[in-house]
Amino acid sequence: MPTSTTHEIQSLHLPVKGMSCASCATRIEKKVGEMEGVQNASVNFGAGQAAVEFEPTLISPRQITAEIEQLGFRVPRIRQSFPVQGMTCASCVSRVEKKLLNFPGVFQVEVNLATERAVVEYLPSLNGFADFRQAVEEAGYVLLPADRDGKDTIGEEEERHRREIRTLSIKLAFGVVISAILMWGGMGMIPFLPQPESPRLALWMFLFATPLQFWGGWQFYRGTFSGLKHGYADMNTLVAVGTSAAYFYSAFATFFPGPLQFMGQKVELYFDSAAMIITLVLMGRLLEARAKSRASEAIRKLIGLQPKTARVQRDGREMDIPVSEVILGDVVSVRPGEKIPVDGQVVGGQTTVDESMITGESLPVAKKPGDEVIGASLNKTGAFSFRASRLGKDSVLAQIIRLVEEAQGAKAPIQRLADKVAGIFVPVVIAIALAAFGIWWSIGDTLAVLPTSPFTFALTIFISVMIIACPCALGLATPTAIMVGTGKGAELGILIKGGETLEQVQKLDTILFDKTGTLTHGKPEVTDVILEPDASLSLEQFLVFAASLEKQSEHPLAEAVLQEVERRSLKPIKVEHFIAIPGYGIEGRLGGQNVLLGNAKLMKERGVDLSRMEDRLDHMARQGKTLMILAAGDRAQGILAAADTVKPHAREAVLKLQRMGLEVIMVTGDNPSTAKAIAGELGIHTVLSEVLPGEKDAVVTRLQGEGKFVAMVGDGINDAPALARADIGIAIGTGTDIAMEASDITLMGKNLVSVADAIELSKRTLGKIKQNLFWAFFYNCLGIPIAAGLLYPFFGILLKPLFAAAAMSFSSVSVVGNSLLLKRFRPSRSDGSD
């Protein structure tokens, strides 16, 4: 609902979530009503709405919303990504952000120069797209509606990038030809042009230079006019003013050389300089556009994974339909070599599936009825059918794309300094250029070493300062590195939420692992089958008897025993007189004899002699294994040991993290002996055992209170509070959606080494950001004073406009190019290789 104003009192209507009774509404009314500037507060519990009348000069909607949220309730906000057109440098980013943050209902704005997007978090009851578009247009840019469909939007952006690259390529080719003609013509090397001493050469150079100046450089003039219209200056202003100074001075000298000669100025032409500057800047823009396109290709690759059609079974026949027409519950058929169109659950057939494009793991995964399959993964060997369970925005691929887009649009806190500088950068550069021009023109007569007249020298200095300044590098330093780093992470099955996460990772000193389902498989497996030397049963009979009894049981260990028997291609037999003995085991009659399966207490109660196996029982118990003894005919026949086994690569992951200087801690609800056994197998020295599921976030809080910077690694619903509480939450993507939402980093695969890989990639990406920012600041801090002639009186060093243009183009391209090196990232392994 829009805000209405009456006598400086505004009314605000907010949706409020989380109220459980009328007293909640009363509490909100009381707290909000006591705030300074609030005239009246009324909360409707049934409608879930708060109506507040307030004075905007004393209090803002943000403060009111913050007060409601501090009480433990939630005011829903919308977070949307809007494409922005017309931005050319970091100062543009700063202006768009300031415009959008002026709205009372806007909480956060992140504008990204590399992706050309604005991510806005706002209250839809106060503001909307129409307001944002008008404000951005007032600043001289174009705001487009939020994504309607990821594929459509990406396609439109790709087409716009292609048009931009095509236009820049044509203009660059034209600029190269014209610049060559002007340069060689000025040296008398083109036969059809007059010689340098001829006055007619100036006219010919004017005719060649003019189309390039105003057609090739029109984008700079257009940006400058837009900026002047809206009261700001940007990168376009620097290029347009710098080249125009050279062009118009040369044009004046061409048609009116007399006044210059009268003033004692040597008549010199700078048409070739203006043309070369425009050509070099166009070249930089073209290289930058191509590099930015490469930096954002991760999203395009992900979207390109989605198949276009699906083969569904309807009305007793198979038909091919567009993926968008698949509905929940459809049975979809997939043949070998085909991509799986949507997410679902296998209902028929068996196969292996290559999920590397989603999880980053190279080995194919076996699938059988009941297993989940992921849309866009590749079916390898067998034909199968599955029932569609997640479609559109709910699919795994769509969630990955959303997470990567949000990460690439996010801004790292380290960018704040660059943003502050960018806000004043262009006006300061113009001021420095004008000051340098005035100083050199005024003191030039006192220096006998000037290569030209003071005015011409000062003009050259002015052009060089205007051209060499590069706010683009400041604007591209952070977002391009984040784009490439998060895109590379997506290729490896690592989803990093954004720039803030990248900065936090470098502070980590402690990694807290949940045990069950994270370090271990989360369900028991048979680890040992030991037959007594004098047993009356064969190994096969021993296992068949155990499985036959367990088939009648609901105990968690029963499934482990049955799976072991199935793996050995054995089948259970019928059991007579089955009895479950709670806390002890089970018994029944098989093959004409009474058979017991249970713990040592059961055996001792029934008089079964265990003296010969006590040492083995003690040894395996110390290893944290659960022991089942089978006795037949009052004689112990052997031992079955089961345990929640450690995941492959878990030990490798722990060792790699320890080599990175991180303390690894395991937290579990198991008893101390079992926990210690698992930790010993993994090489973990610190174990927190008998921790209830709801106490994990308290463990994180305690570690943080000890001054540790903690990452929590987990996968279940009960891990979500701890993941959210930790400084960095790392969720195993094979777990639950709620754990993924609570985390800062999500691992789509099962390989725990990816935890170390994610930390390594985050640190490498942050390193690139720091390199880029250092280069951007160093370049401008060094280049602008040199261009202003600071070194000329002492060392005779002067930066000509052509070199200034080349340096400026190289600056922004080098920042993007440095970020693109992250595409070559390969996680280090135990041998230390990359």
Side-chain angles (χ1 to χ4, degrees), residues 42 111 161 163 184 278 448 453 528 541 563 600 675 681 728:
S42 174
V111 179
H161 276 298
R163 286 199 304 268
W184 293 337
I278 288 176
S453 66
D528 301 273
Q541 287 176 315
Q563 284 182 346
E681 187 177 348
I728 296 291

Side-chain angles (χ1 to χ4, degrees), residues 380-631:
K380 298 287 285 185
T381 55
F384 73 100
S385 58
F386 69 94
R387 194 175 304 280
S389 61
R390 286 189 298 263
L391 306 173
K393 62 182 178 61
D394 297 322
S395 69
V396 171
L397 181 62
Q399 291 181 52
I400 292 173
I401 291 170
R402 176 181 61 82
L403 287 170
V404 174
E405 282 182 332
E406 289 179 357
Q408 294 191 342
K411 185 174 290 188
I414 198 172
Q415 178 73 14
R416 290 177 189 140
L417 176 59
D419 289 344
K420 289 179 181 178
V421 172
I424 59 170
F425 185 87
V426 174
V428 168
V429 169
I430 293 174
I432 291 173
L434 289 171
F437 174 82
I439 291 171
W440 282 109
W441 193 11
S442 61
I443 69 169
D445 287 331
T446 64
L447 299 174
V449 293
L450 292 184
T452 61
S453 66
F455 176 82
T456 304
F457 186 85
L459 180 63
T460 302
I461 292 289
F462 173 80
I463 295 170
S464 294
V465 173
M466 294 289 283
I467 296 300
I468 199 171
C470 188
C472 302
L474 292 172
L476 293 170
T478 299
T480 53
I482 291 176
M483 284 172 66
V484 180
T486 53
K488 184 64 182 180
E491 288 180 24
L492 298 171
I494 300 167
L495 305 181
I496 303 169
K497 277 199 173 174
E500 188 167 356
T501 299
L502 295 172
E503 283 201 43
Q504 296 285 77
V505 164
Q506 70 168 347
K507 303 175 187 176
L508 286 179
D509 52 34
T510 304
I511 305 286
L512 187 65
F513 275 95
D514 169 58
K515 180 188 82 72
T516 306
T518 303
L519 290 170
T520 65
H521 287 102
K523 59 181 182 180
E525 296 179 5
V526 172
T527 58
D528 301 273
V529 180
I530 301 173
L531 196 66
E532 281 293 290
D534 58 350
S536 61
L537 301 178
S538 67
L539 182 63
E540 288 76 12
Q541 287 176 315
F542 174 79
L543 288 168
V544 167
F545 278 15
S548 300
L549 288 170
E550 291 288 17
K551 190 174 182 181
Q552 314 300 315
S553 172
E554 296 180 356
H555 194 277
L557 294 175
E559 186 180 350
V561 175
L562 290 169
Q563 284 182 346
E564 179 66 18
V565 169
E566 183 181 350
R567 187 179 68 81
R568 295 176 182 242
S569 301
L570 300 174
K571 291 184 178 180
I573 60 177
K574 186 177 179 181
V575 179
E576 298 175 352
H577 308 300
F578 174 83
I579 300 173
I581 309 169
Y584 288 89
I586 50 183
E587 69 174 312
R589 191 165 182 81
L590 294 100
Q593 54 185 324
N594 289 326
V595 180
L596 292 173
L597 181 65
N599 56 27
K601 288 182 181 179
L602 175 63
M603 300 300 140
K604 289 176 181 177
E605 276 198 6
R606 297 298 180 90
V608 177
D609 183 14
L610 300 180
S611 58
R612 287 176 297 178
M613 60 173 63
E614 282 182 353
D615 289 342
R616 283 197 300 269
L617 291 172
D618 289 343
H619 176 70
M620 287 190 286
R622 285 195 298 272
Q623 292 178 326
K625 296 175 181 178
T626 301
L627 305 176
M628 296 167 281
I629 304 164
L630 188 138

Side-chain angles (χ1 to χ4, degrees), residues 158 296-306 339 397 491 823:
E158 278 191 7
S296 61
E297 69 183 0
I299 294 289
R300 295 196 298 275
K301 281 184 177 179
L302 286 170
I303 289 177
L305 292 175
Q306 179 70 61
K339 282 188 176 181
L397 181 62
E491 288 180 24
K823 283 178 171 287

Side-chain angles (χ1 to χ4, degrees), residues 325-336:
E325 295 180 11
V326 176
I327 59 176
L328 286 176
D330 267 342
V331 175
V332 184
S333 300
V334 186
R335 296 169 184 164

Side-chain angles (χ1 to χ4, degrees), residues 722-787:
L723 290 169
R725 178 80 61 187
D727 299 295
I728 296 291
I730 303 176
I732 307 298
T734 51
T736 62
D737 290 342
I738 189 170
M740 292 170 65
E741 286 298 323
S743 65
D744 301 293
I745 297 174
T746 298
L747 308 178
M748 297 307 299
K750 300 177 183 178
N751 190 336
L752 285 175
V753 179
S754 295
V755 174
D757 296 344
I759 294 172
E760 187 179 357
L761 175 60
S762 298
K763 289 184 175 183
R764 192 80 61 88
T765 304
L766 184 64
K768 287 296 180 189
I769 291 173
K770 290 180 176 179
Q771 291 170 15
N772 289 347
L773 286 173
F774 170 80
W775 166 250
F777 280 110
F778 175 78
Y779 164 81
N780 283 293
C781 291
L782 183 67
I784 292 173
I786 292 176

